[in-house]
């Protein structure tokens, strides 16, 4: 019994696989994907071998469903690529920060460093920096001013010493 089932399955595969894979190829326009879909359809058929009365119909319906899933996946991927492309085009290019500026910012006292990082590096408005730090907006503005002056002084000194 098992031997005859295996023989019937093997004969069915030899008779239908090339045609099924070719049909899938025309639908997905890719050899590798077409063979994966046809193989998956046969794998699913083997799992239900005793319950399937019309194997050819089962294979084509299963392959059609797998092709549809493939198309949906491609459309989701294309949508994600379109969204990422649009977001990248709208996002300003990252500014290259001189490592010495980064080091100078890190060297600032925390009272001045935190507002600089939040306002200039995280693009937060002064009102939001004020809310996050628990300081009044005027204090945040004064701290930003003091930090800029310190950075300007340090940068001016480092520029004076460059050859």
């Amino acid at each position: 019994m098992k031997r005859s089932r295996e023989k019937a399955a093997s004969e069915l595969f030899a008779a239908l696989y090339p045609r099924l894979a070719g049909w899938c190829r025309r639908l997905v326009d890719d050899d590798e994907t077409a063979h994966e879909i046809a193989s998956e359809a046969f794998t699913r058929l083997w799992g239900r071998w005793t319950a399937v009365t019309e194997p050819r119909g089962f294979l084509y319906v299963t392959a059609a469903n797998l092709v549809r899933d493939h198309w949906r996946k491609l459309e989701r991927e294309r949508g994600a690529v379109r969204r990422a492309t649009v977001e990248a085009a709208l996002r300003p290019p990252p500014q290259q920060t001189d490592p010495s500026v980064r080091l100078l910012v890190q060297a600032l006292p925390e009272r001045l460093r935190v507002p600089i990082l939040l306002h200039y590096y995280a693009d937060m408005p002064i009102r939001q920096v004020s809310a996050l730090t628990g300081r009044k907006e005027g204090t945040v503005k004064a701290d930003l001013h003091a930090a800029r002056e310190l950075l300007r002084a340090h940068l001016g000194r480092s520029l004076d010493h460059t050859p």
Side-chain angles (χ1 to χ4, degrees):
M1 168 99 173
K2 184 177 180 187
R3 189 53 124 165
S4 64
R5 229 171 52 186
E6 286 179 8
K7 185 176 185 212
S10 179
E11 289 172 357
L12 183 71
F13 183 82
L16 294 180
Y17 183 84
R19 211 171 212 173
L20 181 65
W23 181 73
C24 292
R25 170 68 173 87
R26 286 189 299 279
L27 294 173
V28 298
D29 201 30
D30 176 49
D31 283 335
E32 186 176 336
T33 303
H35 284 286
E36 286 176 12
I37 290 172
S39 296
E40 179 63 23
F42 270 96
T43 301
R44 291 182 185 190
L45 173 63
W46 302 152
R48 295 173 179 79
W49 184 249
T50 56
V52 174
T53 55
E54 178 50 53
R56 185 173 189 268
F58 179 89
L59 286 169
Y60 277 86
V61 168
T62 302
N65 289 336
L66 292 169
V67 166
R68 186 191 64 231
D69 292 346
H70 172 74
W71 287 341
R72 286 179 178 164
K73 180 183 173 199
L74 282 180
E75 191 52 42
R76 283 191 306 270
E77 289 172 354
R78 286 183 189 128
V81 168
R82 277 193 300 271
R83 283 189 301 279
T85 303
V86 167
E87 288 172 8
L90 295 177
R91 188 179 317 124
Q95 294 178 343
Q96 295 298 323
T97 306
D98 182 0
S100 62
V101 173
R102 183 177 51 85
L103 292 173
L104 288 173
V105 169
Q106 287 176 345
L108 288 171
E110 184 177 349
R111 171 182 72 80
L112 302 177
R113 182 178 62 245
V114 170
I116 286 283
L117 292 173
L118 293 175
H119 184 66
Y120 291 107
Y121 287 82
D123 287 329
M124 292 184 184
I126 290 175
R127 177 174 291 150
Q128 193 174 4
V129 173
S130 169
L132 286 172
T133 59
R135 299 182 196 151
K136 294 181 181 180
E137 286 184 36
T139 304
V140 170
K141 289 177 183 177
D143 289 344
L144 288 170
H145 176 75
R148 285 191 305 267
E149 290 301 313
L150 274 173
L151 292 171
R152 187 175 292 122
H154 285 291
L155 285 171
R157 279 198 302 269
S158 67
L159 290 176
D160 290 342
H161 291 81
T162 54

